[in-house]
Amino acid sequence: MSAARVDTPLSWDDLVCIWCELDVPEGWRPETAIDGIRLSPPPAGRHNLIAADVHRNLSDGCPEGAGVFQTQGVAVAAVGGIYAPDLCVIPRDRVPRGPGPVPAADVLLAVEITSAGNAEHDRTRKRWAYAHGGIAQYVLIDPHDPDGASVTVYTDPAEGAYRQSCRVAFGRDVRLAAPFDAVLETAAF
């Protein structure tokens, strides 16, 4: 038996169904897009320590009724992808009760912490996707930045790009934009 190439792309509903039905090893995070499926292994120690610090900072300054969630699937229908940020802030009443992803429009903030193997993907593809999805703030924590370990907060998404950004080196604090009353303390990163 041979496989035949199908020239029509998957529908959005097909993509969501595939994502919901993926059976991946515990701790692995699946992401799907029209161009394929990407699996990320469980993060290592430094990554987890940074995530714990950021989770604490975000929890302290989270808008009323919102929560901080780890690896929640985020659907960006505009680009045909479902991504799994390391952390995101979502109004609790918008979190899906079943296996489906949350629409990007419901995400107030997404956080990615780069690993050596995914840094470029987080810097480019995910920033592009999150801007297209209308996620108001994207926090990129990048210990692998070639110009020095940094945190960049992207804001003001429009026409598929973030129009504002604030980059600080590890060791300096960065304030998040409204509706957050939070400062990310990066000294321990």
Side-chain angles (χ1 to χ4, degrees), residues 65-102:
V68 181
F69 301 92
Q70 295 185 30
T71 65
Q72 168 65 52
V74 174
V76 186
V79 300
I82 301 172
Y83 300 91
D86 291 308
L87 298 163
C88 60
V89 178
I90 308 166
R92 294 179 63 83
D93 64 354
R94 301 297 176 105
V95 175
R97 300 298 184 235
V102 65

Side-chain angles (χ1 to χ4, degrees), residues 156-178:
D156 197 15
E159 299 176 13
Y162 284 103
R163 296 186 292 189
Q164 302 288 322
S165 66
C166 175
R167 181 185 180 278
V168 300
F170 277 18
R172 295 188 51 210
D173 294 346
V174 62
R175 177 164 289 287
L176 298 177

Side-chain angles (χ1 to χ4, degrees), residues 50-160:
I50 292 172
D53 288 343
V54 173
H55 193 284
R56 181 183 39 79
N57 287 171
L58 289 174
S59 294
D60 291 345
C62 210
E64 184 69 34
V68 181
F69 301 92
Q70 295 185 30
T71 65
Q72 168 65 52
V74 174
V76 186
V79 300
I82 301 172
Y83 300 91
D86 291 308
L87 298 163
C88 60
V89 178
I90 308 166
R92 294 179 63 83
D93 64 354
R94 301 297 176 105
V95 175
R97 300 298 184 235
V102 65
D106 292 340
V107 177
L108 304 175
L109 177 142
V111 177
E112 295 290 357
I113 304 163
T114 67
S115 298
N118 74 357
E120 197 56 36
H121 184 69
D122 289 351
R123 292 179 195 132
T124 57
R125 179 70 180 229
K126 284 191 175 180
R127 185 181 75 214
W128 172 82
Y130 294 162
H132 273 85
I135 295 175
Q137 293 184 67
Y138 173 42
V139 178
L140 177 66
I141 300 171
D142 195 351
H144 305 282
D145 186 331
D147 295 325
S150 66
V151 175
T152 305
V153 178
Y154 296 95
T155 57
D156 197 15
E159 299 176 13

